[in-house]
Amino acid sequence: MRARLEWIASPLLLLVLLGFWQWYVTAAHVSAFILPPPTAVWSGFVYLVGLKSTWVHVWVTIEETVAGFVLAAVAGVLIGVPVGKLRWLERTLNPFIIASQVVPKVALVPLFIVWFGFGSTSKIVVSAVIAFFPIFTNTVLGVKSIEAGHRDVMTSLNASRLARFTRLELPSAAPYILTGMEVGIVLAIIGCVVAQFLGGNAGLGYLLVAEMNAYQTDLLFAVILLLTLVGFAFYAAIGAARRVLIPWHSSGQAQP
Amino acid sequence: MSSIRLEGVRKQFESRAGAVVALAPTDLAIAEREMVVLLGPSGCGKTTLLRLIAGLIPPTEGRVQVAGRDLWTGDRRDPAAVADLGVVFQDANLFPWYTVERNIAMPLAMRGVGRAARQARARELAKMVGIAGFGQRWPRELSGGMRQRAAIARALSYEPSILLMDEPFGALDAMTRDTMNLELQRIWTETGCTIVLVTHSIGEAVFLADRIVLLSPRPGRIAHVATVDFPRPRGPEVQADPKFAALCADLRGRLDRM
Ligand SMILES: Nc1ncnc2c1ncn2[C@@H]1O[C@H](COP(=O)(O)OP(=O)(O)OP(=O)(O)O)[C@@H](O)[C@H]1O
Ligand SMILES: [Mg+2]
């Protein structure tokens, strides 16, 4: 009963919000440069989706985000596992980890553009750097949260290092790692788009700036909508990975 | 021949508050196919003693031998000596990411046994411990008693000659516990293994044991050894035997005086 209520309530709420938006814009005579009505945003969106160049921008954004995210995920897990296991390593690296966490990563974007140029590389690097930390910290946490009793089982079975890693450490940390990835993928898009703001001539971030400069506010909204959809798709992909990879975990189950 | 031998084994834990002697120098020999129960009040070192035998912690002094082999040389564990041991912990400690069947078969997979043979063995064991038909479930879908049965099946999968159990039924209600004790006796008879079991329960100790090792605390040491010679297999009716009650009362008295 409650599930059905949600199915009806969510779209209903959306309709109400859109209705209010439309009404407010017309009633208060808001300039379309400031806030175009939803109908204009929608037609802008339809126009944008019809352009071939839009899809190039979408594709570039997806490519750069995924490349950055994959780099971040591989590095986060590979560095996170030993740091979570070895106390001395964690103690040694801790000041550096905290320092690099505290630096607002977005402030590094101009630097990366200087280093890696206006092409895809700088965007990938920015995405990777921003997405790295949640994946890394969650991996460390996951490895540290392995139950002592489970470790005892492996010790009593004389498990090799490899068996420990594949049968205990990795699956045990998997829910944590996936949570880190869920945050990481969203940050990777942000990193990518911000880097596209500042440099280059491709990607949805570049398109945003271009529409802004052209005072095409309706298209600006349309690009935001497009970005949101891309974000949703990524987020859903991680959710699907959760169900496939950790069906045993309560977070991987379908909601009752 | 004795299957487990401890000579002058002492264990001291270093903690911030200073050193804790968990086990004073202890000698103990356990014969093959014997059922030995470690009994004692909380904190007297039962778990420590069992973990020493299991090779999970090294002794501070003394030597631990399993099937004639030294468990430790310096601070290295002899993998061949540990291969004879199966351990069942107080918590079932099943891996939640494996189905019950894969949990049971995991030690075999780690020993390179083929998939089909593994599955067949896991089914056979599941049946033996009374959880047939639950192989494809996740551990979280089982009751506490069923999880503990699966943990026993896992420990038995590679046919260890020695089974070490730390309060395996501690979390179960009295009725399930009685059933599990009967089952354990049957499994022990069927497999012919040596069992060292830790418990808080005097009745459980007297019902199961060939020999009861009573430990006293601060520092942990062997206070008394009682031999129990009721004929096997023992059924619930042993508990009505006056000798059973007398032995329980004697142990109760010794524990109270600690
Ligand atoms: N890792 C450890 N570090 C420090 N002290 C420990 C450690 N493990 C056990 N001890 C101490 O050793 C003593 C014996 O502990 P042990 O766990 O063997 O008792 P036990 O007989 O199993 O108790 P219980 O019946 O409550 O399980 C206790 O005083 C405990 O505080
Ligand atoms: Mg204990």
Side-chain angles (χ1 to χ4, degrees):
Chain A
M1 186 58 219
R2 262 185 53 200
R4 221 183 308 157
L5 195 69
E6 281 159 23
W7 276 106
I8 302 169
S10 296
L12 211 63
L13 186 63
L14 183 67
L15 273 181
V16 168
L17 285 173
L18 289 175
F20 177 76
W21 177 358
Q22 183 87 33
W23 168 81
Y24 173 74
V25 168
T26 348
H29 302 289
V30 181
S31 151
F33 287 123
I34 307 295
L35 185 65
T39 44
V41 170
W42 179 250
S43 48
F45 181 73
V46 171
Y47 163 75
L48 209 63
V49 165
L51 288 181
K52 225 181 179 156
S53 63
T54 306
W55 292 102
V56 176
H57 291 305
V58 168
W59 184 243
V60 166
T61 307
I62 290 177
E63 255 182 352
E64 289 169 356
T65 303
V66 169
F69 171 77
V70 168
L71 277 178
V74 170
V77 173
L78 285 187
I79 304 175
V81 169
V83 169
K85 277 171 80 167
L86 306 171
R87 268 186 88 115
W88 64 266
L89 189 62
E90 196 195 5
R91 288 224 185 104
T92 315
L93 293 181
N94 223 3
F96 299 95
I97 293 167
I98 292 172
S100 47
Q101 284 263 49
V102 171
V103 167
K105 256 76 69 188
V106 176
L108 300 175
V109 175
L111 190 63
F112 288 139
I113 291 179
V114 171
W115 286 350
F116 301 105
F118 289 98
S120 271
T121 316
S122 57
K123 282 86 184 177
I124 293 173
V125 172
V126 173
S127 287
V129 166
I130 294 189
F132 171 78
F133 284 98
I135 300 175
F136 168 77
T137 45
N138 276 286
T139 304
V140 172
L141 187 66
V143 171
K144 281 184 165 180
S145 323
I146 296 172
E147 280 180 42
H150 287 169
R151 290 191 185 283
D152 282 345
V153 169
M154 281 317 216
T155 310
S156 77
L157 292 173
N158 241 330
S160 65
R161 255 165 212 273
L162 181 68
R164 265 176 196 274
F165 180 70
T166 56
R167 293 176 185 279
L168 174 59
E169 286 154 7
L170 208 53
S172 192
Y176 293 85
I177 296 174
L178 281 163
T179 300
M181 288 183 171
E182 232 159 43
V183 180
I185 192 74
V186 174
L187 292 182
I189 305 174
I190 294 177
C192 183
V193 169
V194 169
Q196 288 170 353
F197 281 169
L198 289 186
N201 52 9
L204 290 173
Y206 161 77
L207 200 58
L208 276 175
V209 175
E211 303 301 0
M212 180 186 79
N213 289 336
Y215 293 101
Q216 297 270 24
T217 315
D218 51 345
L219 291 184
L220 195 57
F221 268 96
V223 179
I224 294 173
L225 182 58
L226 207 53
L227 262 173
T228 308
L229 291 177
V230 171
F232 253 119
F234 279 134
Y235 194 78
I238 302 284
R242 226 182 232 294
R243 280 187 291 281
V244 173
L245 295 176
I246 51 168
W248 53 270
H249 196 260
S250 50
S251 71
Q253 281 176 79
Q255 293 299 312
Chain B
M1 183 193 149
S2 59
S3 87
I4 300 167
R5 177 178 289 279
L6 278 74
E7 284 172 15
V9 171
R10 199 174 85 87
K11 182 67 192 180
Q12 179 171 324
F13 289 108
E14 308 295 339
S15 68
R16 258 171 299 165
V20 181
V21 180
L23 195 68
T26 298
D27 297 308
L28 181 66
I30 295 170
E32 261 177 62
R33 295 174 169 249
E34 197 178 4
M35 170 96 79
V36 170
V37 174
L38 307 179
L39 182 67
S42 187
C44 68
K46 303 181 295 293
T47 297
T48 304
L49 182 53
L50 200 78
R51 289 172 70 84
L52 282 163
I53 299 173
L56 290 169
I57 48 174
T60 313
E61 274 165 40
R63 58 204 285 226
V64 185
Q65 282 187 321
V66 173
R69 304 177 74 109
D70 275 309
L71 260 190
W72 297 88
T73 9
D75 53 2
R76 287 188 66 91
R77 233 160 44 117
D78 179 0
V82 191
D84 269 335
L85 299 171
V87 187
V88 180
F89 301 88
Q90 180 158 9
D91 302 315
N93 280 329
L94 299 177
F95 289 0
W97 44 90
Y98 287 152
T99 58
V100 171
E101 191 174 288
R102 280 194 73 186
N103 263 292
I104 297 176
M106 187 182 73
L108 297 176
M110 281 162 53
R111 275 152 213 251
V113 175
R115 196 193 177 86
R118 240 166 39 215
Q119 279 177 354
R121 176 86 180 123
R123 291 220 184 96
E124 194 182 299
L125 283 161
K127 200 169 151 203
M128 175 168 163
V129 298
I131 50 167
F134 288 91
Q136 299 313 314
R137 305 282 193 96
W138 298 117
R140 64 176 153 80
E141 298 173 318
L142 266 57
S143 73
M146 290 161 87
R147 279 201 286 268
Q148 208 50 267
R149 287 166 193 253
I152 295 172
R154 175 177 63 188
L156 290 172
S157 64
Y158 50 102
E159 299 180 338
S161 53
I162 300 163
L163 201 56
L164 307 174
M165 312 175 98
D166 192 356
E167 300 191 42
F169 314 130
L172 306 183
D173 63 278
M175 256 163 58
T176 318
R177 220 172 150 136
D178 287 347
T179 325
M180 292 299 287
N181 284 336
L182 280 169
E183 300 264 314
L184 182 63
Q185 184 183 221
R186 182 179 56 76
I187 290 167
W188 174 66
T189 319
E190 263 176 51
T191 57
C193 60
T194 309
I195 292 185
V196 184
L197 180 126
V198 170
T199 184
H200 269 130
S201 153
I202 300 175
E204 189 167 273
V206 176
F207 180 77
L208 286 171
D210 290 327
R211 209 147 49 103
I212 298 172
V213 174
L214 198 64
L215 296 169
S216 67
R218 283 174 297 272
R221 57 185 183 81
I222 298 180
H224 178 73
V225 177
T227 309
V228 189
D229 47 14
F230 299 114
R232 305 252 186 199
R234 296 173 190 164
E237 69 284 351
V238 201
Q239 291 165 15
D241 193 317
K243 279 199 300 184
F244 189 97
L247 190 47
C248 286
D250 175 60
L251 291 167
R252 168 95 271 155
R254 287 173 191 278
L255 280 168
D256 286 344
R257 268 175 268 127
M258 275 174 191

